[in-house]
Amino acid sequence: MKFTDGHWRMRAGVEPAYPVEVLDVEPGQGTLTIHAPSYPVTSRLDLQKGPVFTVDISAPMPGVVGVSVTHYAGVRPRPPRFELFANGSGEARVNVAEDVATLTSGALTVRVDRARWRLDFLAGDRVLTTSGHEDLAFVTVAGGGHFVRERLRLGVGAAVYGLGERFGPLVKNGQVVDIWNADGGSSSEQAYKNVPFFLTNAGYGVFVDHPGQVSFEVASEDVTRAQFSVAGQTLRYYLIYGPTPKEILRRYTALTGRSALPPAWSFGLWLSTSFNTPYDEATVNSFVSGMSERDIPLSVFHFDCFWMREINWCDFEWDPRTFPDPRGMLARLKASGLRICVWINPYIAQRSPLFAEGMARGYLLKRPDGNVWQWDLWQPGLAVVDFTNPEAREWYAAKLDAVLDMGVDCFKSDFGERIPTDVEYFDGSDPELMHNYYTYLYNKTVFDLLRKRRGEGDAVVFARSATVGSQQFPVHWGGDNSSTYESMAETLRGGLSLALSGFGFWSHDIGGFEGTPSAELFKRWIPFGLLSSHSRLHGNYSYRVPWQFDEESVTVLRRYTRLKARLMPYLYQAAVTAHRDGIPMLRAMILEFPDDPACVYLDRQYLLGADLLVAPVFSAEGEVSYYVPAGTWTHFLTGEQLHGPAWVRERHDFTSLPLLARPGSVIPVGSVDSRPDYDYTDGVTLHAYQLSEGTVRTVIPTTTGEPAATFTTTRTGDELRVSVDHPPPSWHLFLAGVAVDAVSGAPAVAHGHGTLVTGGPGGLTIRLAR
């Protein structure tokens, strides 16, 4: 929200007040409370008016500082509040001197200038950012209410990322971002997943602890400031120190919650009925058998909305006209090794029997006059489940529980964005604050049921809407994109932005949801879709089985589905990292290369995990341009070497794309290409690329995320040694682009673009050729 008219004046009807000096500082146990008048104080006569800013500074965990700014403290707080996982401020150090007061949390210090209003956030002696003259403000807008605004300085070259899933440029500088969930597709300023958190390449991130609408002006109203404002009397935000983007994400996700670990089977290929296409059991069987006949491994089959009868969504009952024997059908599908997903949403159509039941029990959102809130958009007369009511949550979960009893394994938890504000909640929640927060309660209800029924590590949803903390309930997909190359690129931008907002796992509709992709577009999209954490074929009015396009589409889908299965030892360890450390699987280049200025704006390429660079091809002709950071990188599929830093332009056919292995990496590749869940250690091949002096540890996880085996690869001069704890029955080492002179106790053969060595329980010792 903009308040100013240029640099010198305020807009008409806008009355600001700014802190100008510090009246007093009250130190506490790891806290500071500051009273800052909005006028100079020359005598006690000046202290008979306001406003006075009350600023509370705390430290919820090392490296994080909380700032809470209050005007009127008498406003009754109403839920909801974000659930935070702070570990206390016991380690914070407070010092109050005559000229300054400081609070230090880990390596982060906030310094308060007592003579004039100024908050400096420092790492050691380095100022990260500042709230200075006329940055913090109480603002009254004629006819528009009261706001609290903060502005933090953006230094030269500082770039801002995150703020949820956003489909515009990856760097948010120059953008206006309103944190307000909306069902706006993937080609507008609206977003399904709004997160009031950003990180920078300047060593810090900022989380605004406000569940409702937050307005961000990122170097837009004032081009040297990151500004954020909320309606009301209080603003609370946390400044999170890195210094690297990875460390910022580690701390942010420690504060707001880290993702559960999705089951290994969920990383395979998901196939959908699509949405408005006709389908019945025969259609489903033709898809499943068609994939099997073409040797394309399929892990999950998804039934979209019309598994239920039209205008009955949601009643959670199979449409008997098209699915007369749902239990038998599901049993037959599962006998082939498939998992089953079905579509749900939190809305109850008037025709659904659940409408009358929910209304009678008080489980549906009501208008202030006590009537059930209804409208006709999406489903005739639909109502919205009130998830603030514990009994309503249990009721909704019980309906889903019955579906699980039939053989369903997971849910696509769609919608959750179009939440009205002219309602009253069971627990008295503020409707404006609940608009974004609603999706948290919705998806938590679904995920908790799955976790309860299936156990820790076997629960997964396919969710569209999200807010702060929703990353705990994976997986999220990118919403309604379109079948164009432009939408393919905006889809990637949305995924990268979401990942930089603390979300570890992400998917999207391969080929686009709206429209029907050309065969060329579909084939270009497939590698991008399979080289994501989760992979789904889904459309609106047309099917997404590959033989609907051409035979080469079948070949491409088979190739990359099987490649992803073989990469699972590497991918699942990256998933464990996302689960335990909060570092996403999909990584913008700036996350891995924060000191490389060429990576600041890159949003058409990414790293999948730490060591595989992916550059999707966004043209039918196969032309692709991408950046290679410093070092010697290796094309994973061909063995060709590229020397960075350099910009590269290539042409690829439909079976290929730039997929580069990072120098110094050891990438474990599995021996199974027919499914994503298998023993990752048995027959694993360690692909080693451009190893330099030093040691690389490679952890091979089990399908529950625990370490199954750890390989330690050490290079000293021309000698390479590999040791392993819990050695598997068989394993191999592939040295890309390297010849060997001698191997201790194991055969070595030239293989493709390198040397393949068979390992044993005692490890390997190799003499490299000079």
Side-chain angles (χ1 to χ4, degrees), residues 164-165 167 181-186 191-195 275 304-305 343-347 378 411-419 439-440 442-443 461-467 470 473-481 498 503 505-509 513-514 536 538 540:
E165 174 190 51
F167 302 104
N181 283 0
D183 177 8
S186 64
Y192 305 101
K193 308 168 189 68
N194 285 267
V195 179
F275 173 26
D304 216 58
C305 313
W343 175 95
I344 62 172
N345 70 190
Y347 311 138
W378 178 242
F411 299 105
K412 172 184 170 180
S413 48
D414 203 355
F415 286 88
E417 307 93 356
R418 294 175 177 169
I419 305 303
T439 181
Y440 178 86
Y442 163 41
N443 278 293
V461 295
F462 224 82
R464 189 173 75 173
S465 56
T467 187
S470 296
F473 319 124
V475 170
H476 293 80
W477 102 95
D480 296 348
N481 52 9
L498 185 68
F503 285 70
F505 304 96
W506 172 78
S507 186
H508 58 273
D509 291 343
F513 174 74
E514 292 286 352
R536 183 178 72 160
H538 179 64
N540 189 351

Side-chain angles (χ1 to χ4, degrees), residues 464-605:
R464 189 173 75 173
S465 56
T467 187
V468 172
S470 296
Q471 68 269 11
Q472 297 171 81
F473 319 124
V475 170
H476 293 80
W477 102 95
D480 296 348
N481 52 9
S482 300
S483 297
T484 65
Y485 285 105
E486 292 82 3
S487 190
M488 182 179 167
E490 75 197 16
T491 295
L492 174 55
R493 293 196 298 268
L496 293 173
S497 186
L498 185 68
L500 290 171
S501 304
F503 285 70
F505 304 96
W506 172 78
S507 186
H508 58 273
D509 291 343
I510 297 172
F513 174 74
E514 292 286 352
T516 298
S518 65
E520 290 77 15
L521 172 61
F522 187 64
K523 287 179 286 192
R524 292 300 183 197
W525 207 315
I526 286 170
F528 168 39
L530 270 297
L531 293 169
S532 300
S533 83
H534 288 74
S535 309
R536 183 178 72 160
L537 295 166
H538 179 64
N540 189 351
Y541 293 100
S542 55
Y543 302 123
R544 291 293 181 268
V545 288
W547 54 90
Q548 293 267 332
F549 299 93
D550 60 20
E551 281 306 308
E552 190 176 32
S553 296
V554 173
T555 300
V556 174
L557 184 60
R558 180 192 306 118
R559 174 178 174 82
Y560 284 97
T561 304
R562 290 187 176 276
L563 173 64
K564 185 176 185 182
R566 293 194 66 217
L567 285 172
M568 279 302 294
Y570 166 78
L571 294 177
Y572 208 56
Q573 184 54 36
V576 172
T577 299
H579 162 60
R580 293 181 178 167
D581 296 337
I583 309 302
M585 291 189 69
L586 184 79
R587 304 183 186 183
M589 297 294 289
I590 191 66
L591 198 61
E592 287 292 333
F593 302 97
D595 297 324
D596 187 337
C599 292
V600 172
Y601 290 92
L602 296 182
D603 58 13
R604 296 199 303 272
Q605 62 186 78

